[in-house]
Amino acid sequence: MGANDEGCSTQLIDGNGEFNVKGLDSFVKKTKLSDCGLSYAVVAIMGPQSSGKSTLLNHLFNTNFREMDAFAGRSQTTKGIWMARCVGIEPFTVAMDLEGTDGRERGEDDTTFEKQSALFALAVADIVLINMWCHDIGREQASNKPLLKTVFQVMMRLFSPRKTTLLFVIRDKTRTPLEKLEPLLREDIQKIWDLVRKPEAHKNTALSEFFNVKVVALSSYEEKEEKFKEEVAELRQRFFHSISPGGLAGDRRGVVPASGFSFSSQQIWKVIKENRDLDLPAHKVMVATVRCEEIANEKLHNLATDKSWLELQEAVEGGLVPGFGRKLSSILEKYFSEYDAEAIYFDEGVRKEKRLQLKLKALDFVYSAYATMLGHLRSNALESFKMRLEQFLSQGEGFAKAVRDSQQSCLLVFDKGCKDAVVEQATWDASKIREKLCRDIDSHTSSARTAKLSELIASYEKRLSQALSEPVESLFEAGGKDTWPSIRKLLKRETETAVTDFLDAVTGFELNHTTIDTMVQNLRDSSQSLVEKKAREEAAKVLIRMKDRFSTVFSHDKDSMPRVWTGKEDIRAITKDARAEALSLLSVMAAIRLDERSDNIESTLFSSLMDGTVSVASSHNRSIGTSADPLASSSWEEVPPKNILLTPVQCKSLWRQFKSETEYTVTQAISAQEAHKRNNNWLPPAWAIVLMIVLGFNEFMMLLKNPLYLLGFFVAFLLSKALWVQLDIPREFQHGALAGVLSVTSKFLPTVMNLLRKLAEEAQGKTTQEAPEYSASQSYQQQSPSHSISSTISESVASSISAAAGDDSEHSSPADLRRRNTNNVQETEISQM
């Protein structure tokens, strides 16, 4: 691996421990490191062989350190210590790649260089990356614990505190959260520091005086390459401005100027090489560490494939397993005992530490089954609570008491199940699951309470609706001065009754007073809203109600009997009364009056519309832009806007429409009265009748003595009446007497001939129809021919007269009625009513 223009990588120390002075000087010149002053940083990485140190540096700093070929097998890739410039990082940053530890190439007994290089990295670098596998956390060698112990001792003896940052990089992180791994790692480091023999000058010096410890975790590069690159990109950002306050190396002390970096590095390596305290760890510790770890891994593998465990795991996935804790404890104890038997002759300290790791890993492996078991217990307890609650409520028990009894019962069952699931080797606590169960119970209780209260409130609102809707509608339909007082009384009575019953119904819920008061107020507001809604609906139909009220009062007398317009009725007064009733209904529907507040709506409407004081603004007022009309407004005095149903302007418009649509009814009444007067006006005055009786007494006696005269007069009357109808004398004389005489004269003879022809045809037709009659009738007709003819004439004339009279009396069409009764006097009367 040689130097290049960008990364400028070079080997600083070879595998034999020889310092490359020329290479370092060339590196400093080429990269112009000596010009940086104090603005530079050194980053080193250490860790097990083939742990991906070079790969991490290349991705992190865009360097080109040599990486291991995964298909060629694990082997030593980096020998000695290499260094390169980090590309694109500010400030100037140098990366140092150290030879991996635990390498088989050097063997178990040749770890001196590893410790020397690690000590050199800690002495020179501002930031030291300690690369380690996630599954190796807790291992003595893989996690560099013995190495760190020796480094701590030597560094305190040789160097003054300089605040180096130790960044532990956990590779191939698993599902175990970093929050759980980091405290364990920090605790181990602190223990190493506490056990290290310190000189008197640093006997009470804290670890934080020498080191800043940071921890970061990365995904697997081989299995999750994209995720690995994303996380490395995030980590790379932390190296920008690393020497600034708050940065990764922000607390460094005793920084050597960049121009003296080369000489300083040489002197540090010289001191480290000459030090004799860097001895190898005891061989038996190394062997114990490797062998105990192998035994522990074997037992963990056997546990994962154990038939009893697989059956237990499958069973717990399907539901509750009685004796779960006892069965699982037995399986775990089996493998822990086997480990103890096989590792009994190894170093006690290592043996106990590896056993603890085995226990933690085994418990972590089987914890999911335990959690599943607790999940079943929680789910079953929650379902039991729901069923018991519904059962208690169906039996009429109060809601709060039913909740307490159901919760107590299901928690007892849950606690018993948790006790049965306890694993002897673990200290697992089911309190969080129990708390979650309690939260689930509270959540269901809250939902059930809300549903029950909503159902209860809905039932009382429906009850109020049934109690108020039809009565209120009926009161509005009746519409009088006592309408709103009656509605207020009805509303208060029904609301108070409902509230009293509601308070009794919610007692079992044991709610606080504030909640109850709020619900009661909502119930009151609901009943009031119902009345207001009904009032608005009725206000929309007020014109129909007014017309119905007018029609009822106008067409019926005080005994509710239909009026017959005989000519004696005072139509003007009746019309005024009917309109007053309709206007009273309009005033009732103009505003909502549930607050017993007085207003002047009725007086304003009557004074403006009935008395006629205000109809149309005068020309003078129009000219100056003012109006004295109290109804020319969009609001009523002393009435809140929210309570207005019909504004004054709307009332005025409705009144005009009402008068327009009821005018025809008044016109019909007047016409009917006039027609009745005409039809009953055929008799002369009483004095004339008396005079006729006195003067015509002799003639009357003569008629009585000779009935033929009476018959002749009767036939003449019938003929005259028939001619009167056929010629329509009244209509002919409407255009003047002269025109009427001329018209009647011209039509008289044709009408008489036509009438006689009809009589002859009817007589002939009647004779033909009566021919088959029995002989007694024929003999009678032969004996009295004159009587038959006269009878036929009289019948024909009578039929014509009756038809004409019927047409006249029944007023066959509205057009004839209006034609006969329209005059200026009547129009004036109607407009004034």
Side-chain angles (χ1 to χ4, degrees), residues 232-483:
V232 168
E234 294 178 1
L235 179 59
R236 174 183 171 86
Q237 297 301 317
R238 300 177 64 177
F239 288 88
F240 282 86
H241 309 293
S242 59
I243 62 174
S244 301
L248 282 177
D251 296 332
R252 66 180 184 164
R253 303 167 188 168
V255 182
V256 177
S259 58
F261 176 79
S262 177
F263 177 76
S264 174
S265 299
Q266 296 176 43
Q267 292 301 314
I268 289 175
W269 180 248
K270 181 179 180 181
V271 172
I272 292 174
K273 286 282 287 184
E274 294 177 354
N275 182 58
R276 299 301 179 187
D277 295 335
L278 301 177
D279 296 330
L280 292 173
H283 181 72
K284 63 177 183 178
V285 174
M286 294 283 293
V287 174
T289 300
V290 175
R291 184 57 186 148
C292 289
E293 187 170 349
E294 289 178 352
I295 297 173
N297 290 337
E298 180 185 357
K299 300 309 172 187
L300 192 62
H301 174 73
N302 293 341
L303 171 63
T305 57
D306 185 88
K307 183 178 179 181
S308 300
W309 156 249
L310 295 176
E311 291 177 353
L312 181 63
Q313 185 181 34
E314 183 179 0
V316 79
E317 290 291 338
L320 291 176
V321 178
F324 173 83
R326 175 177 50 81
K327 295 177 181 178
L328 184 55
S329 298
S330 176
I331 296 173
L332 292 174
E333 185 60 31
K334 171 187 175 183
Y335 292 103
F336 293 160
S337 299
E338 291 179 359
Y339 171 86
D340 293 337
E342 295 182 24
I344 191 171
Y345 298 109
F346 292 101
D347 182 79
E348 182 179 3
V350 176
R351 183 178 74 242
K352 289 183 178 180
E353 183 179 356
K354 296 304 178 182
R355 189 185 193 281
L356 179 60
Q357 293 178 12
L358 170 62
K359 179 180 178 181
L360 293 176
K361 291 181 179 179
L363 291 177
D364 185 62
F365 176 71
V366 300
Y367 180 79
S368 60
Y370 174 77
T372 303
M373 181 68 181
L374 292 187
H376 290 318
L377 290 173
R378 183 187 63 82
S379 178
N380 289 357
L382 182 60
E383 291 301 321
S384 175
F385 169 79
K386 294 178 180 179
M387 293 176 59
R388 288 179 179 273
L389 180 60
E390 289 298 327
Q391 182 178 1
F392 286 141
L393 292 178
S394 63
Q395 293 173 357
E397 189 171 340
F399 185 86
K401 187 175 184 304
V403 169
R404 286 194 297 270
D405 294 344
S406 302
Q407 183 174 4
Q408 182 179 3
S409 175
C410 78
L411 287 179
L412 286 175
V413 175
F414 176 79
D415 292 339
K416 183 178 179 182
C418 289
K419 186 177 180 180
D420 182 66
V422 168
V423 178
E424 296 177 2
Q425 295 83 358
T427 57
W428 294 329
D429 186 8
S431 60
K432 292 185 177 180
I433 304 298
R434 194 178 193 276
E435 291 174 0
K436 188 176 188 309
L437 172 60
C438 292
R439 290 195 299 269
D440 292 340
I441 290 175
D442 292 341
S443 177
H444 179 74
T445 299
S446 178
S447 299
R449 182 189 296 110
T450 302
K452 293 294 182 183
L453 287 175
S454 299
E455 182 180 345
L456 186 64
I457 292 172
S459 66
Y460 276 91
E461 289 179 349
K462 182 179 180 180
R463 169 180 164 179
L464 281 172
S465 177
Q466 293 175 347
L468 292 174
S469 293
E470 292 185 1
V472 168
E473 184 176 355
S474 177
L475 289 171
F476 279 131
E477 187 175 353
K481 292 184 177 181
D482 60 341
T483 296

Side-chain angles (χ1 to χ4, degrees), residues 598-616:
S598 59
D599 57 64
N600 58 353
I601 294 178
E602 185 175 6
S603 60
T604 302
L605 289 176
F606 271 85
S607 63
S608 300
L609 301 178
M610 285 297 295
D611 298 341
T613 56
V614 177
S615 57
V616 181

Side-chain angles (χ1 to χ4, degrees), residues 468-636:
L468 292 174
S469 293
E470 292 185 1
V472 168
E473 184 176 355
S474 177
L475 289 171
F476 279 131
E477 187 175 353
K481 292 184 177 181
D482 60 341
T483 296
W484 283 108
S486 299
I487 290 176
R488 289 195 294 267
K489 183 178 179 181
L490 173 66
L491 175 62
K492 182 178 180 180
R493 183 180 72 249
E494 295 296 338
T495 302
E496 292 304 323
T497 301
V499 166
T500 301
D501 295 342
F502 177 77
L503 290 175
D504 293 338
V506 298
T507 302
F509 289 88
E510 299 181 7
L511 303 173
N512 57 60
H513 294 294
T514 303
T515 303
I516 293 177
D517 292 343
T518 302
M519 296 171 67
V520 169
Q521 186 60 43
N522 290 339
L523 193 61
R524 295 180 187 277
D525 294 343
S526 176
S527 61
Q528 182 170 335
S529 299
L530 178 66
V531 174
E532 292 178 354
K533 179 182 178 182
K534 182 60 65 175
R536 298 186 189 282
E537 292 176 357
E538 292 299 318
K541 301 184 290 187
V542 67
L543 182 60
I544 298 175
R545 299 292 192 199
M546 290 171 63
K547 291 192 292 185
D548 292 343
R549 177 67 60 83
F550 175 84
S551 177
T552 301
V553 176
F554 186 80
S555 302
H556 296 78
D557 57 19
K558 61 182 180 179
D559 296 327
S560 299
M561 297 298 293
R563 294 185 187 275
V564 178
W565 305 104
T566 62
K568 299 178 181 179
E569 296 80 12
D570 187 354
I571 293 182
R572 180 184 296 275
I574 293 172
T575 301
K576 187 173 183 180
D577 291 342
R579 288 177 176 172
E581 289 291 331
L583 190 58
S584 176
L585 178 60
L586 179 62
S587 67
V588 168
M589 299 307 304
I592 297 174
R593 301 177 178 89
L594 294 178
D595 53 3
E596 301 185 15
R597 183 182 301 179
S598 59
D599 57 64
N600 58 353
I601 294 178
E602 185 175 6
S603 60
T604 302
L605 289 176
F606 271 85
S607 63
S608 300
L609 301 178
M610 285 297 295
D611 298 341
T613 56
V614 177
S615 57
V616 181
S618 64
S619 59
H620 175 71
N621 287 337
R622 288 197 301 270
S623 65
I624 62 177
T626 62
S627 174
D629 188 354
L631 298 183
S633 174
S634 60
S635 61
W636 297 103

Side-chain angles (χ1 to χ4, degrees), residues 651-724:
C651 289
K652 187 174 181 180
S653 176
L654 287 169
W655 184 252
R656 289 174 178 170
Q657 187 175 355
F658 162 76
K659 288 185 66 177
S660 174
E661 294 183 11
T662 56
E663 196 171 277
Y664 181 67
T665 302
V666 180
T667 303
Q668 278 190 319
I670 295 174
S671 300
Q673 195 177 59
E674 292 295 329
H676 191 277
K677 289 180 180 179
R678 247 192 344 267
N679 292 336
N680 290 278
N681 204 21
W682 56 275
L683 291 176
W687 61 267
I689 294 175
V690 174
L691 184 62
M692 287 170 54
I693 292 174
V694 172
L695 297 178
F697 180 75
N698 294 330
E699 286 77 4
F700 179 68
M701 293 303 296
M702 181 183 66
L703 289 175
L704 291 178
K705 292 178 181 179
N706 193 351
L708 292 177
Y709 288 152
L710 184 61
L711 178 62
F713 280 120
F714 180 70
V715 171
F717 170 76
L718 292 178
L719 290 173
S720 301
K721 183 66 175 177
L723 288 173
W724 181 277

Side-chain angles (χ1 to χ4, degrees), residues 65-104:
F65 292 116
R66 182 182 175 187
E67 298 178 10
M68 182 191 73
D69 185 2
F71 294 95
R74 294 185 178 272
S75 62
Q76 190 176 43
T77 305
T78 303
K79 295 182 180 181
I81 300 176
W82 287 77
M83 64 184 300
R85 178 183 178 179
C86 300
V87 179
I89 300 292
E90 292 293 337
F92 189 104
T93 302
V94 177
M96 298 176 60
D97 189 10
L98 276 66
E99 179 178 324
T101 61
D102 296 339
R104 64 182 178 85

